[in-house]
């Protein structure tokens, strides 16, 4: 039984249970990473098998998500039948707490506050849905106002799942739940008590958007988060909301830094800065409302103007440190920039291929760019120096020699590619695993091929009729094993594999066709038509090595039953009934 003070894998210490236990969502713990100077982390504990399988299916995608308003997901630990999911800790106040505080003072959220919240959180849902995931539990409890910058953060409630190949009902439910959340904040009431306040004055465009979010009629609903965001663009955000928000943050920051000294001048300076910031915001907003016929970001010919806002010094220093690290790793700069930019564009398809500018409003996106760059550098650091120096210049022919070696040993070409994909899982994010990606990501896939195929450990087994063949194999963390099973001609194969929940199996016929899709370890029967040898690929997606046991048996085909005349005729000479040979004459 885990409790406060428990240390998981000598790495994470549990400090306080924040919620649970719940059959689906498990327990949420506040903990620390003892190997990172007691860095705060959030850890979700799952004991339910169905919940574990659901989370395991989406965890690689969650790890690959990089957005400033989504906590980054770290390790997934499997210990004594329990899953422990580690993610970044976020300092702030949940909106359900803010809702209760406001309700106690009879001060519901203003329309401008809720409008700003929707504009800030809809891009997060768009990214989540764009990766094929749905949140499944959008509500004030899972929205947090971050202390550092005031932005809303979408927390995982333990119900994230894949949205399915064709169904859009799940994303629509996320949007509907977001509409209910907005209504709760506007009314000051939670749950079933939330409703349209009688004295609520909303701009007509904003009211129409909320009505469509809350509608149960399919033809009235929005189809995706980007569509809601587009509809909200025409709704004017009151300047007072934005100005008061920035002024309030500036005043709080000044008071926090200087207020302890107890002097008047810091307060005067804070007020002066607040007035200056407010005037600047008003100056920015004024041209947008007074010149609607001209986009302030373009000149009279429609050509884009060069940004006139330079990056903040801290951001410039961070960027310079990143490129210094890049030089130290001897990685080609042009290829690396293409890698980060391609990742950025795939994360934000709604931007239509537009990269972040140097403007103030793109500051959160620039942070994402930097986080992506740091994440890719961490992956690239795993490669040896000689391989890092070749990134950007690798070709498919560079891994041909080890590939041919495996082919001569009887491994099918499709199986070889799956072996490489398994080896590349630490170099490529979860959304690209299991496939041969396009450039510039393919460079890392080829690097993984050149490293992994030289020392592939192939286990060979012979399946015998009536007598099972058993073996035990250990697979390193993030590694794979290939088992070639020789089956007598015309025989089917009974195959059973046991191991850890984080292991996956896949079975290929002799011609390379998949006869058992990638999935958890299990018992399977492979038809004789699959041929021989059968090629079994087992991967370990856990953070530690694991042991598996494999058992196989050849099943001989059953002889066909003899043809039986169900209506025998009497012999013309003797008068006796003629029966098929081999049948007892007493059988009627």
């Amino acid at each position: 039984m885990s409790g406060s003070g428990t240390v998981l894998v000598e790495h994470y210490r549990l400090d306080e249970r924040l919620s649970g236990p719940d059959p689906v969502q498990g327990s949420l713990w506040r903990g620390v990473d003892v190997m990172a100077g007691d860095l705060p982390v959030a850890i979700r504990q799952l004991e339910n098998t169905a919940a574990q399988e659901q989370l395991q299916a989406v965890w690689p995608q969650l790890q690959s998500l990089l957005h400033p308003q989504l906590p980054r997901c770290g390790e997934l630990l499997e210990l004594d039948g329990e899953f422990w999911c580690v993610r970044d800790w976020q300092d702030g106040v949940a909106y359900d707490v803010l809702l209760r505080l406001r309700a106690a003072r009879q001060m519901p959220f203003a329309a401008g506050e809720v409008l700003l919240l929707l504009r800030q959180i809809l891009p997060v849902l768009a990214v989540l849905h764009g990766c094929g995931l749905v949140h499944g539990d959008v509500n004030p409890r899972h929205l947090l106002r971050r202390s550092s910058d005031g932005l809303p953060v979408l927390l995982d409630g333990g119900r994230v799942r894949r949205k399915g190949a064709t169904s859009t009902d799940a994303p629509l439910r996320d949007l509907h739940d977001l509409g209910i959340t907005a209504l709760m904040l506007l009314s000051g009431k939670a749950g079933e008590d939330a409703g349209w306040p009688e004295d609520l004055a909303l701009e007509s465009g904003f009211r129409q958007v909320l009505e469509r979010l809350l509608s149960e009629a399919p033809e009235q609903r929005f189809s995706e988060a980007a569509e809601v965001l587009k509809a909200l663009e025409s709704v004017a955000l009151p300047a007072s909301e934005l100005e008061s928000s920035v002024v309030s943050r500036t005043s709080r920051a000044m008071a926090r830094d200087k207020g302890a000294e107890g002097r008047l001048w810091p307060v005067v300076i804070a007020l002066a800065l607040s007035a200056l910031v407010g005037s600047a915001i008003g100056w920015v907003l004024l041209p947008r409302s007074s010149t609607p016929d001209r986009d302030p970001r373009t000149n009279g010919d429609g050509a884009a103007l060069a940004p006139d806002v330079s990056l903040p010094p801290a951001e410039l220093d961070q960027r310079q440190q990143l490129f210094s690290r890049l030089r130290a790793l001897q990685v080609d700069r042009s290829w690396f920039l293409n890698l980060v930019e391609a990742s950025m564009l795939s994360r934000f398809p709604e931007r239509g291929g537009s990269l972040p500018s140097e403007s103030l409003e793109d500051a959160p996106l620039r942070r994402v760019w930097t986080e992506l760059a740091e994440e890719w550098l961490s992956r690239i650091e795993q490669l040896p120096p000689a391989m890092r120096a070749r990134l950007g210049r690798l070709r498919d022919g560079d891994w041909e020699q080890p590939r041919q070696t495996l082919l001569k040993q009887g491994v099918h070409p499709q199986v070889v590619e799956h072996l490489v994909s398994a080896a590349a899982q630490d170099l490529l994010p979860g959304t690209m695993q299991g496939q041969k990606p396009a450039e510039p990501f393919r460079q890392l896939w080829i690097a993984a091929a050149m490293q992994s195929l030289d020392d592939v450990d192939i286990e060979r087994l012979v399946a015998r009729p009536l007598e099972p063949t058993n073996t035990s194999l250990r697979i390193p963390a993030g590694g794979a094993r290939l088992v070639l099973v020789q089956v007598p001609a015309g025989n089917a194969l009974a195959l059973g594999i046991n191991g850890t929940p984080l292991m996956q199996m896949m079975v290929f016929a002799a011609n390379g066709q998949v006869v058992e899709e990638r999935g958890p370890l299990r018992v399977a029967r492979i038809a004789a038509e699959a041929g021989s040898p059968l090629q079994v690929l087992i991967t370990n997606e856990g953070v530690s090595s694991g042991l598996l046991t494999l058992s196989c048996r050849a099943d001989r085909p059953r002889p066909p039953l003899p043809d039986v005349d169900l209506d025998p005729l009497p012999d013309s000479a003797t008068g006796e009934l003629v029966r098929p040979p081999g049948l007892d004459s007493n059988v009627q």
Side-chain angles (χ1 to χ4, degrees), residues 68-69 90-91 120 144-153 245 249 252 364 367:
Q69 291 161 253
Q90 297 287 324
D91 281 321
Q120 291 172 333
L144 177 137
R145 179 183 284 175
R146 190 160 51 200
S147 301
S148 60
D149 53 15
L151 288 174
V153 177
S245 174
R249 288 199 298 270
R252 285 199 304 268
R367 284 198 296 272

Side-chain angles (χ1 to χ4, degrees), residues 68 312 315 356-369:
E315 203 171 333
S357 68
E358 296 182 2
S359 65
L360 181 62
E361 62 183 8
D362 275 357
L365 290 173
R366 291 198 301 274
R367 284 198 296 272
V368 175
W369 190 99

Side-chain angles (χ1 to χ4, degrees), residues 512-524:
Q513 292 185 346
V514 177
V515 292
E516 282 290 326
E517 294 288 348
R518 185 175 183 271
L521 304 185
R522 57 195 182 273
V523 175

